[in-house]
Amino acid sequence: MLAAVRSREPRALGSGAVEYRRVAHAAGLAFAALSLPYLLFEWHDLRLQLLVAMPVGLIALLVGRWQWRRWLLERRKAGEWASRTVVVGARDEVAYVLERLDRAHGLGFHVLGAALRGGGGDEPLRVGDRIVPALGAMDDIAELAQRVGADTVVLASNPDDDAAYLQRLSRQLEGTCAELVLYSRLVDVAGPRISYRPLEGMPLIQVRIPDFEGGRHALKRALDIAVAGLALVPIALLAIPIAIAIRIDSPGPVLFRQQRVGRDGQLFDMLKFRTMHVDAEAQLASLLDRNEGAGPLFKLRDDPRVTRVGGFLRRTSLDELPQFWNALRGEMSVVGPRPPLPSEATSYDGTVARRLYLKPGITGLWQISGRSDLSWEESVRLDLRYVENWSVMDDMMIIWHTAKLVLRPRGAY
């Protein structure tokens, strides 16, 4: 079944949730295949396999794939097990694609250089701290790909005055062992929303419009209830020593309630363990000129309002544990966009307001990507990408990455 669902396909390995989704799909198919003879012939010996071996085997498979992925990413960062790539197009488009590929080591593209439209000059392109050489013009890519030993040619832009260029390029690459990859201006659209639809010789790309109701969202709510319900049991035990430490460290309540904006602009009281002195709001005005936060957010790395115990709770994200009660109540989700303050939400334009299409999350892409170290624009981009592309498998991966970040915190202050 793993082979049938193409779980070992090179394009699925190394990044994203596609590989894990296919493994889970294969396990479901194997489960169904075993269930059929069990039901037809009442083979009770299969009961143990159905109830124990299948779920345990699925978990073991996913953990094994995760370990191999870690190994593969380390190799790809060193330039191994990656496609030797040439990026082709106009200088500005090539520079944009190179910047994206430079961030995504897991995709497995090792860029050898660029071929620029009209020659574009011999001046190399600077991508971050790296210099990417200009290998020549895009007139004869097949010869260039053979000369440098490229496995992949990424077409960043097509010449406006040459409609047949793409077809001619694909024919030129025949026999060169190089595959052709087309860059699309569709950004922050996840793979499951994109499908290929040939029509009378035209390769149409179909993009599914995001939906914010229906069965998938009912499944997300069920996941929230299950995860929050399980998490609140150990949280109840942890809350006792945390509460004692908070009260000993500074006078005031153990829990801090703050009004936040939920789905569709609904207000709710978000719970946290108190990490600041009780007069924190009164001190805010005197600290505004030291703000290190992004956009409308106030953040200060060495905030004098934070108590000693509060600093520890923030670094370890333990202050956010009471939010699982918000998730169980349905005001928040375990995974979702960052919960905004009312003053922040009122400043949203039409695009940024799309963050409110889903329930805010205890964790999310923003948390596993840097939290307070992110710029305002990057934080918004990650939230919007999540809102439009989320899936249950992606949620499981974000929960897993969050658990690792609790042990090795980054950007939490």
Side-chain angles (χ1 to χ4, degrees):
M1 291 300 180
L2 287 169
V5 299
R6 299 179 298 164
S7 70
R8 303 183 183 98
E9 190 177 50
R11 294 180 181 85
L13 303 178
S15 65
V18 173
E19 178 186 1
Y20 299 134
R21 192 180 296 115
R22 290 181 180 179
V23 170
H25 189 196
L29 290 173
F31 187 92
L34 280 176
S35 298
L36 191 59
Y38 170 77
L39 293 172
L40 291 177
F41 304 108
E42 297 184 359
W43 290 348
H44 299 291
D45 292 342
L46 284 174
R47 182 175 298 174
L48 185 64
Q49 292 178 329
L50 292 174
L51 298 180
V52 179
M54 286 300 299
V56 172
L58 174 58
I59 293 172
L61 275 172
L62 292 174
V63 171
R65 291 297 186 105
W66 171 68
Q67 290 284 3
W68 277 113
R69 177 174 290 195
R70 292 181 61 190
W71 176 87
L72 179 61
L73 291 180
E74 290 301 319
R75 300 280 70 77
R76 283 180 171 176
K77 287 179 181 179
E80 304 172 19
W81 297 98
S83 296
R84 295 164 59 85
T85 303
V86 174
V87 183
V88 181
R91 177 175 284 269
D92 56 343
E93 296 282 359
V94 167
Y96 179 78
V97 172
L98 288 174
E99 182 181 350
R100 287 301 182 98
L101 292 180
D102 198 53
R103 293 182 196 170
H105 299 291
L107 294 179
F109 292 102
H110 174 59
V111 178
L112 303 174
L116 305 175
R117 189 163 67 201
D122 297 326
E123 182 182 351
L125 295 93
R126 179 178 292 275
V127 181
D129 298 328
R130 193 162 64 91
I131 301 296
V132 177
L135 302 175
M138 58 185 291
D139 301 325
D140 192 1
I141 300 302
E143 187 276 331
L144 188 152
Q146 283 187 317
R147 174 162 52 86
V148 299
D151 304 309
T152 302
V153 173
V154 177
L155 184 61
S157 64
N158 196 48
D160 297 330
D161 57 350
D162 190 354
Y165 177 81
L166 178 58
Q167 185 180 44
R168 191 166 64 252
L169 176 59
S170 65
R171 290 172 178 172
Q172 288 176 357
L173 291 175
E174 291 176 4
T176 65
C177 297
E179 63 178 3
L180 180 62
V181 176
L182 305 181
Y183 159 70
S184 170
R185 289 182 177 271
L186 282 170
V187 295
D188 291 329
V189 178
R193 284 181 55 202
I194 300 175
S195 58
Y196 172 70
R197 184 180 176 185
L199 178 64
E200 297 295 330
M202 291 191 301
L204 302 181
I205 297 176
Q206 184 169 329
V207 182
R208 179 177 59 81
I209 303 301
D211 58 83
F212 304 101
E213 300 288 348
R216 290 197 317 133
H217 292 268
L219 184 59
K220 183 176 178 65
R221 178 62 186 143
L223 179 66
D224 288 339
I225 294 173
V227 173
L230 290 172
L232 284 171
V233 176
I235 288 172
L237 300 176
L238 278 173
I240 298 173
I242 291 175
I244 294 172
I246 291 173
R247 293 300 296 270
I248 292 175
D249 188 39
S250 66
V254 171
L255 291 177
F256 174 67
R257 298 173 182 269
Q258 189 175 49
Q259 197 172 66
R260 295 293 178 109
V261 182
R263 182 174 181 178
D264 299 327
Q266 297 295 318
L267 298 177
F268 70 97
D269 287 333
M270 188 179 75
L271 299 177
K272 282 189 174 187
F273 286 122
R274 182 173 60 84
T275 60
M276 290 186 173
H277 296 286
V278 290
D279 61 346
E281 291 298 322
Q283 298 181 43
L284 178 61
S286 62
L287 299 172
L288 289 176
D289 58 337
R290 296 166 57 187
N291 183 20
E292 299 173 0
L297 302 179
F298 178 85
K299 285 286 184 179
L300 191 59
R301 193 175 295 273
D302 297 316
D303 196 325
R305 302 173 298 165
V306 177
T307 63
R308 289 172 299 174
V309 170
F312 170 77
L313 295 177
R314 287 186 169 210
R315 287 191 300 273
T316 56
S317 298
L318 291 174
D319 62 318
E320 298 178 359
L321 292 180
Q323 292 170 33
F324 281 98
W325 177 249
N326 292 116
L328 190 64
R329 286 167 53 91
E331 298 161 334
M332 296 180 67
S333 180
V334 175
V335 182
R338 187 182 54 77
L341 293 162
S343 58
E344 176 190 341
T346 55
S347 67
Y348 287 173
D349 60 23
T351 300
V352 182
R354 293 175 65 85
R355 297 168 84 179
L356 306 179
Y357 286 7
L358 292 181
K359 294 176 184 177
I362 301 171
T363 185
L365 283 178
W366 49 276
Q367 188 168 48
I368 65 173
S369 303
R371 296 183 68 176
S372 299
D373 291 338
L374 296 173
S375 67
W376 169 250
E377 293 76 15
E378 186 67 10
S379 176
V380 169
R381 188 183 71 82
L382 289 173
D383 276 347
L384 294 179
R385 189 173 84 185
Y386 175 81
V387 167
E388 296 178 356
N389 300 288
W390 77 271
S391 69
V392 172
M393 185 59 72
D394 286 332
D395 280 5
M396 298 299 290
M397 290 180 64
I398 290 172
I399 292 171
W400 174 252
H401 283 295
T402 302
K404 292 195 297 180
L405 278 179
V406 170
L407 300 177
R408 291 185 297 177
R410 176 167 57 92
Y413 53 87

